[in-house]
Amino acid sequence: MAKKYFIKTFGCQMNVYDSNRMANILETMGFVKASNQRDADVVVFNTCHIREKAAEKVFSDLGREYQIKLERAEEGKDTIIGVTGCVVQAEDKEILKRAPYVDFALGPLRYFRLKEVVNEILQKREMQLLDTEFSAVSKFDYLPENKTIGGCSFLAIQEGCNNFCTYCVVPYTRGVEVSRPVEDVLREARCLADSGTLEINLLGQNVNSYHGEDANGKERNLAYLLNKVAEIDGIKRIRYTTSYPADVDDDLIMCHKNIDKLMPYLHLPIQSGSDDILKKMNRRHTKSDYLKVVEKLKKANPNIGMSSDFIVGFPGESDADFQQTLDVVNQVKYIQAFSFKYSRRPGTPAAVMENQIEEKVKKERLQILQDLLFDYQTKFNESSVGKVMPVLFEGKGRHKGQLTGRTPYMQNLYAEADFSLINKIVEVRVASASTNSLSGEVI
Ligand code: SAH
Ligand code: SF4
Ligand code: F3S
């Protein structure tokens, strides 16, 4: 019987992409995907270090996996436990101390070694392997073809980040920003289109600062790449995530006017509406810079829907600072957003700043912000009722006979539909709306 693997993914879309690539590697080795964790001979936890809660959850989940490993051992089954992702990079040797039963730990830039590492462990069962090198080699050059099957696929076009926002661990866990060459990205995009991808989401932590080389060694920007990806026949929808406000250039704004395949939705995190806080965060934009970019985008495509990330309770944030954040929300009227309480991350400059904000205040501010955000999100969803929208169905819904998919605005939509419509784009009339989803009828 074929050996089975199970990958549990925490964190951002970048990690989802990396997990898919690790699945590609394990499948080339003859492993098949396990339907549940208990059946798996190799279990990989692909981890996130962005906030304390996310990082701590990894260790409780690992502990549970160790119990499963012991139970499987009683049935005579061996289990390899691996950890990858940003917690590995951040904890380094500590991870093997905190979770001594782990067989291997690979940083986010090193998982291309998965095949070699698993084979080595299978041969020498008692060994433990850790690799967190910030290597000069590009992991992408060592990965097998991207065979991710599904209507929507992620494609990492960049790794790392040079922005060093003072609250953020990413530059330390993912290293310096590196753009993949144009031809590599296009080859992977064509490969995904050939295996059924209709929607492609180009990924980077600072994706709009993309500056990959083309075949002639000339540096090209994201706008160039978007135009090239749009030329691929099978690709019907394009998105890109996550953009940095100060790096949105006019070429990119014009893409929202000129590329029909580019979805009318943009995730553009502002983090805070206060210029003082933005400065302390080391963000290279002010509130008014940000609002100007949004205005230009809305001019290029009046139908564009905006989304953002917010942090409340950053050190020194006053009530007046927080009001500025609410003011931005009222001006932009986001159709979706993600908001977080500031989490103190060891090793980042903000962790040792004065005037850390009390948990109680953070909690109150988050509640106020989320109430406002949900209000706009609900209003937007309600304005969709009665409209006909192309929906890309991604899988089964909560109820029998139901599928779930996404509208161009990233809204979740449920509809009664045949399984054969999974991974297809179908016209749907929106019948009802709530804060988090829509329901509709296939036309
Ligand atoms: N590169 C992207 C996303 C990075 S992480 C960007 O710059 O937008 C995703 C989000 O997590 C961030 O946008 C930020 O809102 C949040 N985040 C990052 N570090 C955090 C911290 N220490 N505490 C709370 N939220 C944090
Ligand atoms: Fe972190 Fe800032 Fe880079 Fe985003 S842009 S990954 S928040 S350092
Ligand atoms: Fe988390 Fe690393 Fe992504 S810290 S948000 S998995 S880049």
Side-chain angles (χ1 to χ4, degrees), residues 50 160-171 205-206 242 244 271 283:
I50 202 83
C161 182
N162 292 343
N163 280 324
F164 289 93
C165 301
T166 52
Y167 50 83
C168 183
V169 296
V170 172
Q205 289 296 353
N206 188 8
T242 299
Y244 190 81
Q271 311 297 356
R283 302 279 293 184

PDB file of all heavy atoms in Angstrom, residues 50 160-171 205-206 242 244 271 283, ligand 2:
ATOM      1  N   ILE A  50       3.465  34.892  12.919  1.00  0.00           N
ATOM      2  CA  ILE A  50       3.119  36.308  12.814  1.00  0.00           C
ATOM      3  C   ILE A  50       2.610  36.901  14.127  1.00  0.00           C
ATOM      4  O   ILE A  50       2.954  38.019  14.478  1.00  0.00           O
ATOM      5  CB  ILE A  50       2.126  36.570  11.648  1.00  0.00           C
ATOM      6  CG1 ILE A  50       2.187  38.006  11.190  1.00  0.00           C
ATOM      7  CG2 ILE A  50       0.703  36.173  11.969  1.00  0.00           C
ATOM      8  CD1 ILE A  50       3.272  38.330  10.245  1.00  0.00           C
ATOM      9  N   GLY A 160      10.232  36.698   0.632  1.00  0.00           N
ATOM     10  CA  GLY A 160      10.860  37.637   1.559  1.00  0.00           C
ATOM     11  C   GLY A 160      10.278  39.044   1.527  1.00  0.00           C
ATOM     12  O   GLY A 160       9.322  39.328   0.808  1.00  0.00           O
ATOM     13  N   CYS A 161      10.863  39.914   2.364  1.00  0.00           N
ATOM     14  CA  CYS A 161      10.390  41.289   2.460  1.00  0.00           C
ATOM     15  C   CYS A 161      11.504  42.176   3.004  1.00  0.00           C
ATOM     16  O   CYS A 161      12.208  41.784   3.936  1.00  0.00           O
ATOM     17  CB  CYS A 161       9.179  41.350   3.398  1.00  0.00           C
ATOM     18  SG  CYS A 161       8.498  43.015   3.505  1.00  0.00           S
ATOM     19  N   ASN A 162      11.630  43.365   2.417  1.00  0.00           N
ATOM     20  CA  ASN A 162      12.658  44.317   2.879  1.00  0.00           C
ATOM     21  C   ASN A 162      12.066  45.477   3.661  1.00  0.00           C
ATOM     22  O   ASN A 162      12.760  46.444   3.942  1.00  0.00           O
ATOM     23  CB  ASN A 162      13.391  44.932   1.680  1.00  0.00           C
ATOM     24  CG  ASN A 162      14.241  43.915   0.949  1.00  0.00           C
ATOM     25  OD1 ASN A 162      14.530  42.858   1.479  1.00  0.00           O
ATOM     26  ND2 ASN A 162      14.634  44.239  -0.275  1.00  0.00           N
ATOM     27  N   ASN A 163      10.784  45.420   3.958  1.00  0.00           N
ATOM     28  CA  ASN A 163      10.148  46.608   4.518  1.00  0.00           C
ATOM     29  C   ASN A 163      10.394  46.823   6.003  1.00  0.00           C
ATOM     30  O   ASN A 163      10.354  47.952   6.479  1.00  0.00           O
ATOM     31  CB  ASN A 163       8.649  46.600   4.231  1.00  0.00           C
ATOM     32  CG  ASN A 163       8.369  47.059   2.814  1.00  0.00           C
ATOM     33  OD1 ASN A 163       9.059  47.938   2.303  1.00  0.00           O
ATOM     34  ND2 ASN A 163       7.378  46.457   2.165  1.00  0.00           N
ATOM     35  N   PHE A 164      10.607  45.765   6.727  1.00  0.00           N
ATOM     36  CA  PHE A 164      10.890  45.883   8.159  1.00  0.00           C
ATOM     37  C   PHE A 164       9.899  46.794   8.887  1.00  0.00           C
ATOM     38  O   PHE A 164      10.304  47.736   9.575  1.00  0.00           O
ATOM     39  CB  PHE A 164      12.334  46.335   8.410  1.00  0.00           C
ATOM     40  CG  PHE A 164      13.341  45.262   8.082  1.00  0.00           C
ATOM     41  CD1 PHE A 164      13.923  45.192   6.834  1.00  0.00           C
ATOM     42  CD2 PHE A 164      13.670  44.304   9.032  1.00  0.00           C
ATOM     43  CE1 PHE A 164      14.829  44.179   6.518  1.00  0.00           C
ATOM     44  CE2 PHE A 164      14.574  43.285   8.726  1.00  0.00           C
ATOM     45  CZ  PHE A 164      15.162  43.236   7.465  1.00  0.00           C
ATOM     46  N   CYS A 165       8.620  46.530   8.729  1.00  0.00           N
ATOM     47  CA  CYS A 165       7.632  47.194   9.584  1.00  0.00           C
ATOM     48  C   CYS A 165       8.009  46.770  11.009  1.00  0.00           C
ATOM     49  O   CYS A 165       8.357  45.606  11.246  1.00  0.00           O
ATOM     50  CB  CYS A 165       6.227  46.719   9.237  1.00  0.00           C
ATOM     51  SG  CYS A 165       5.810  47.049   7.507  1.00  0.00           S
ATOM     52  N   THR A 166       7.946  47.713  11.963  1.00  0.00           N
ATOM     53  CA  THR A 166       8.574  47.455  13.265  1.00  0.00           C
ATOM     54  C   THR A 166       7.870  46.373  14.094  1.00  0.00           C
ATOM     55  O   THR A 166       8.415  45.918  15.097  1.00  0.00           O
ATOM     56  CB  THR A 166       8.650  48.747  14.098  1.00  0.00           C
ATOM     57  OG1 THR A 166       7.334  49.330  14.135  1.00  0.00           O
ATOM     58  CG2 THR A 166       9.625  49.734  13.494  1.00  0.00           C
ATOM     59  N   TYR A 167       6.641  45.988  13.701  1.00  0.00           N
ATOM     60  CA  TYR A 167       5.909  44.972  14.463  1.00  0.00           C
ATOM     61  C   TYR A 167       6.085  43.575  13.878  1.00  0.00           C
ATOM     62  O   TYR A 167       5.650  42.593  14.470  1.00  0.00           O
ATOM     63  CB  TYR A 167       4.397  45.306  14.461  1.00  0.00           C
ATOM     64  CG  TYR A 167       3.875  45.589  13.068  1.00  0.00           C
ATOM     65  CD1 TYR A 167       3.518  44.556  12.217  1.00  0.00           C
ATOM     66  CD2 TYR A 167       3.788  46.895  12.580  1.00  0.00           C
ATOM     67  CE1 TYR A 167       3.091  44.806  10.922  1.00  0.00           C
ATOM     68  CE2 TYR A 167       3.364  47.159  11.302  1.00  0.00           C
ATOM     69  CZ  TYR A 167       3.022  46.098  10.481  1.00  0.00           C
ATOM     70  OH  TYR A 167       2.606  46.355   9.191  1.00  0.00           O
ATOM     71  N   CYS A 168       6.716  43.463  12.719  1.00  0.00           N
ATOM     72  CA  CYS A 168       6.540  42.262  11.886  1.00  0.00           C
ATOM     73  C   CYS A 168       7.754  41.329  11.865  1.00  0.00           C
ATOM     74  O   CYS A 168       8.896  41.772  11.752  1.00  0.00           O
ATOM     75  CB  CYS A 168       6.202  42.695  10.477  1.00  0.00           C
ATOM     76  SG  CYS A 168       5.875  41.315   9.364  1.00  0.00           S
ATOM     77  N   VAL A 169       7.486  40.031  11.914  1.00  0.00           N
ATOM     78  CA  VAL A 169       8.567  39.029  11.917  1.00  0.00           C
ATOM     79  C   VAL A 169       8.982  38.576  10.507  1.00  0.00           C
ATOM     80  O   VAL A 169      10.017  37.931  10.352  1.00  0.00           O
ATOM     81  CB  VAL A 169       8.162  37.749  12.709  1.00  0.00           C
ATOM     82  CG1 VAL A 169       7.930  38.059  14.178  1.00  0.00           C
ATOM     83  CG2 VAL A 169       6.918  37.088  12.098  1.00  0.00           C
ATOM     84  N   VAL A 170       8.162  38.892   9.515  1.00  0.00           N
ATOM     85  CA  VAL A 170       8.383  38.294   8.189  1.00  0.00           C
ATOM     86  C   VAL A 170       9.794  38.524   7.610  1.00  0.00           C
ATOM     87  O   VAL A 170      10.406  37.574   7.107  1.00  0.00           O
ATOM     88  CB  VAL A 170       7.280  38.728   7.195  1.00  0.00           C
ATOM     89  CG1 VAL A 170       7.601  38.275   5.772  1.00  0.00           C
ATOM     90  CG2 VAL A 170       5.933  38.164   7.627  1.00  0.00           C
ATOM     91  N   PRO A 171      10.345  39.741   7.696  1.00  0.00           N
ATOM     92  CA  PRO A 171      11.698  39.902   7.134  1.00  0.00           C
ATOM     93  C   PRO A 171      12.729  38.987   7.809  1.00  0.00           C
ATOM     94  O   PRO A 171      13.738  38.646   7.202  1.00  0.00           O
ATOM     95  CB  PRO A 171      12.020  41.378   7.402  1.00  0.00           C
ATOM     96  CG  PRO A 171      10.681  42.032   7.493  1.00  0.00           C
ATOM     97  CD  PRO A 171       9.802  41.018   8.163  1.00  0.00           C
ATOM     98  N   GLN A 205       4.939  38.992  -0.268  1.00  0.00           N
ATOM     99  CA  GLN A 205       4.638  39.784   0.926  1.00  0.00           C
ATOM    100  C   GLN A 205       4.565  41.260   0.577  1.00  0.00           C
ATOM    101  O   GLN A 205       3.983  42.064   1.302  1.00  0.00           O
ATOM    102  CB  GLN A 205       5.694  39.573   2.009  1.00  0.00           C
ATOM    103  CG  GLN A 205       5.635  38.210   2.662  1.00  0.00           C
ATOM    104  CD  GLN A 205       4.347  37.969   3.419  1.00  0.00           C
ATOM    105  OE1 GLN A 205       3.520  38.872   3.572  1.00  0.00           O
ATOM    106  NE2 GLN A 205       4.162  36.768   3.881  1.00  0.00           N
ATOM    107  N   ASN A 206       5.180  41.603  -0.533  1.00  0.00           N
ATOM    108  CA  ASN A 206       5.215  42.991  -0.980  1.00  0.00           C
ATOM    109  C   ASN A 206       5.155  42.912  -2.501  1.00  0.00           C
ATOM    110  O   ASN A 206       6.046  43.357  -3.210  1.00  0.00           O
ATOM    111  CB  ASN A 206       6.543  43.576  -0.483  1.00  0.00           C
ATOM    112  CG  ASN A 206       6.664  45.041  -0.694  1.00  0.00           C
ATOM    113  OD1 ASN A 206       5.716  45.714  -1.088  1.00  0.00           O
ATOM    114  ND2 ASN A 206       7.840  45.554  -0.466  1.00  0.00           N
ATOM    115  N   THR A 242       0.242  40.390  -1.426  1.00  0.00           N
ATOM    116  CA  THR A 242      -0.335  41.562  -0.818  1.00  0.00           C
ATOM    117  C   THR A 242       0.442  42.794  -1.266  1.00  0.00           C
ATOM    118  O   THR A 242       1.668  42.753  -1.334  1.00  0.00           O
ATOM    119  CB  THR A 242      -0.209  41.445   0.721  1.00  0.00           C
ATOM    120  OG1 THR A 242      -0.912  40.312   1.159  1.00  0.00           O
ATOM    121  CG2 THR A 242      -0.773  42.642   1.412  1.00  0.00           C
ATOM    122  N   TYR A 244       1.848  46.734  -1.109  1.00  0.00           N
ATOM    123  CA  TYR A 244       2.321  47.745  -0.160  1.00  0.00           C
ATOM    124  C   TYR A 244       1.925  49.118  -0.726  1.00  0.00           C
ATOM    125  O   TYR A 244       2.279  49.436  -1.873  1.00  0.00           O
ATOM    126  CB  TYR A 244       3.840  47.620  -0.028  1.00  0.00           C
ATOM    127  CG  TYR A 244       4.416  48.433   1.097  1.00  0.00           C
ATOM    128  CD1 TYR A 244       4.368  47.957   2.402  1.00  0.00           C
ATOM    129  CD2 TYR A 244       5.002  49.667   0.853  1.00  0.00           C
ATOM    130  CE1 TYR A 244       4.889  48.702   3.437  1.00  0.00           C
ATOM    131  CE2 TYR A 244       5.529  50.414   1.896  1.00  0.00           C
ATOM    132  CZ  TYR A 244       5.468  49.928   3.182  1.00  0.00           C
ATOM    133  OH  TYR A 244       5.993  50.669   4.214  1.00  0.00           O
ATOM    134  N   GLN A 271      -2.954  49.315   7.817  1.00  0.00           N
ATOM    135  CA  GLN A 271      -2.547  48.998   9.205  1.00  0.00           C
ATOM    136  C   GLN A 271      -3.075  49.990  10.229  1.00  0.00           C
ATOM    137  O   GLN A 271      -3.645  49.583  11.239  1.00  0.00           O
ATOM    138  CB  GLN A 271      -1.011  48.878   9.365  1.00  0.00           C
ATOM    139  CG  GLN A 271      -0.311  47.996   8.345  1.00  0.00           C
ATOM    140  CD  GLN A 271      -0.712  46.530   8.374  1.00  0.00           C
ATOM    141  OE1 GLN A 271      -1.486  46.095   9.216  1.00  0.00           O
ATOM    142  NE2 GLN A 271      -0.213  45.745   7.425  1.00  0.00           N
ATOM    143  N   ARG A 283       6.144  52.394   8.319  1.00  0.00           N
ATOM    144  CA  ARG A 283       5.470  52.262   7.026  1.00  0.00           C
ATOM    145  C   ARG A 283       5.848  53.488   6.200  1.00  0.00           C
ATOM    146  O   ARG A 283       5.930  54.594   6.710  1.00  0.00           O
ATOM    147  CB  ARG A 283       3.941  52.212   7.217  1.00  0.00           C
ATOM    148  CG  ARG A 283       3.461  51.080   8.108  1.00  0.00           C
ATOM    149  CD  ARG A 283       3.372  49.769   7.426  1.00  0.00           C
ATOM    150  NE  ARG A 283       2.332  49.715   6.394  1.00  0.00           N
ATOM    151  CZ  ARG A 283       2.042  48.597   5.710  1.00  0.00           C
ATOM    152  NH1 ARG A 283       2.709  47.473   5.918  1.00  0.00           N
ATOM    153  NH2 ARG A 283       1.107  48.609   4.798  1.00  0.00           N
TER     154      ARG A 283
HETATM  155 FE1  SF4 B   2       5.696  42.483   7.405  1.00  0.00          FE
HETATM  156 FE2  SF4 B   2       5.636  44.983   6.617  1.00  0.00          FE
HETATM  157 FE3  SF4 B   2       6.875  43.151   5.119  1.00  0.00          FE
HETATM  158 FE4  SF4 B   2       4.220  43.131   5.299  1.00  0.00          FE
HETATM  159  S1  SF4 B   2       5.463  44.774   4.392  1.00  0.00           S
HETATM  160  S2  SF4 B   2       5.579  41.370   5.472  1.00  0.00           S
HETATM  161  S3  SF4 B   2       3.859  43.805   7.397  1.00  0.00           S
HETATM  162  S4  SF4 B   2       7.500  43.825   7.161  1.00  0.00           S
END
